[in-house]
Amino acid sequence: MDAERERAAQEAAFCERLLAKSGENVLRETLRDAPVAAWEHYPPGDVFDPESGGQWYYHCHLPPADDIEHGHYHCFVRPDGAQGPVHHLIAVGVDAYGKLHRLFTVNQWVVGDTWLDAEPTIALLPRFDMELAKPSYLVNRWLTAILRQYQPEIAQLIRDRDAKLASHAGEGDIRAAREDRSLEVTSSLNIGR
């Protein structure tokens, strides 16, 4: 593991340890005892860092994706600011105890972002840097650390996303494939730390 990935792994572990000392975890800190409802964004209105353009929200589905995942954080970048286009980077799935479960990409219709092909999307990964005290400094830093630690894997998942969409489109229109409701998750990697 190179030095930057090692630092990111240490930071993610530090955030988890600090939360655990208070009887919390990343998920509980995100939800803050709010009643959990499928499809709702937590926190309401999402989290946006005007300096980096990073943005995220947490939500869950009913039924859940599998027997482990509680829900996931959708991570984006708005390189031109809050009113500019939004680009989905990765979803970070966690279990009911806030432990990282999987990383995955989704089809465009799922998040309604402004489409970018793989390489321009990958170029945005370093921009996701959530240096905000609220709603939780530790959750913001944890998400940033996870994207840093797994950046090579995330880059490959984004490339796999485009390959899956191209395969799904076949000889047809790639734009139609990005709107095809039968294709939701385009690539996935179980982490299970």
Side-chain angles (χ1 to χ4, degrees):
M1 188 179 292
D2 66 26
E4 185 173 344
R5 286 186 79 169
E6 181 63 31
R7 279 192 303 277
Q10 290 171 353
E11 181 161 355
F14 172 78
C15 292
E16 291 169 357
R17 270 194 318 275
L18 210 54
L19 286 164
K21 283 175 64 174
S22 301
E24 297 295 334
N25 62 51
V26 171
L27 179 58
R28 286 179 45 87
E29 180 73 0
T30 299
L31 297 175
R32 304 240 172 149
D33 297 322
V36 179
W39 307 106
E40 292 295 316
H41 287 204
Y42 298 93
D46 303 357
V47 178
F48 176 72
D49 181 343
E51 188 173 299
S52 71
Q55 180 176 326
W56 66 266
Y57 67 83
Y58 179 84
H59 79 168
C60 59
H61 297 185
L62 286 176
D66 59 29
D67 291 339
I68 298 171
E69 187 169 301
H70 180 277
H72 44 269
Y73 296 86
H74 281 288
C75 301
F76 304 84
V77 168
R78 290 181 175 267
D80 299 326
Q83 303 309 313
V86 59
H87 306 292
H88 188 263
L89 302 174
I90 197 72
V92 178
V94 296
D95 68 16
Y97 304 99
K99 294 291 186 188
L100 179 61
H101 170 52
R102 70 177 176 142
L103 301 168
F104 63 99
T105 62
V106 295
N107 204 346
Q108 184 180 17
W109 69 264
V110 175
V111 290
D113 66 336
T114 303
W115 183 260
L116 279 180
D117 288 334
E119 296 310 318
T121 301
I122 291 164
L124 291 175
L125 287 171
R127 294 277 307 263
F128 187 86
D129 190 358
M130 303 298 295
E131 290 189 335
L132 296 171
K134 294 182 180 179
S136 168
Y137 178 75
L138 292 173
V139 173
N140 288 330
R141 295 313 302 158
W142 182 83
L143 278 171
T144 299
I146 293 299
L147 267 69
R148 294 281 183 282
Q149 181 181 357
Y150 292 99
Q151 188 168 330
E153 291 85 353
I154 293 169
Q156 187 57 52
L157 287 168
I158 293 169
R159 289 182 187 105
D160 293 348
R161 172 201 72 180
D162 283 17
K164 175 78 171 190
L165 286 166
S167 172
H168 190 75
E171 297 296 320
D173 182 3
I174 192 77
R175 289 172 296 186
R178 293 195 307 251
E179 293 301 322
D180 185 342
R181 303 267 169 167
S182 72
L183 180 59
E184 182 174 352
V185 174
T186 52
S187 63
S188 182
L189 174 67
N190 285 350
I191 303 292
R193 301 186 316 144

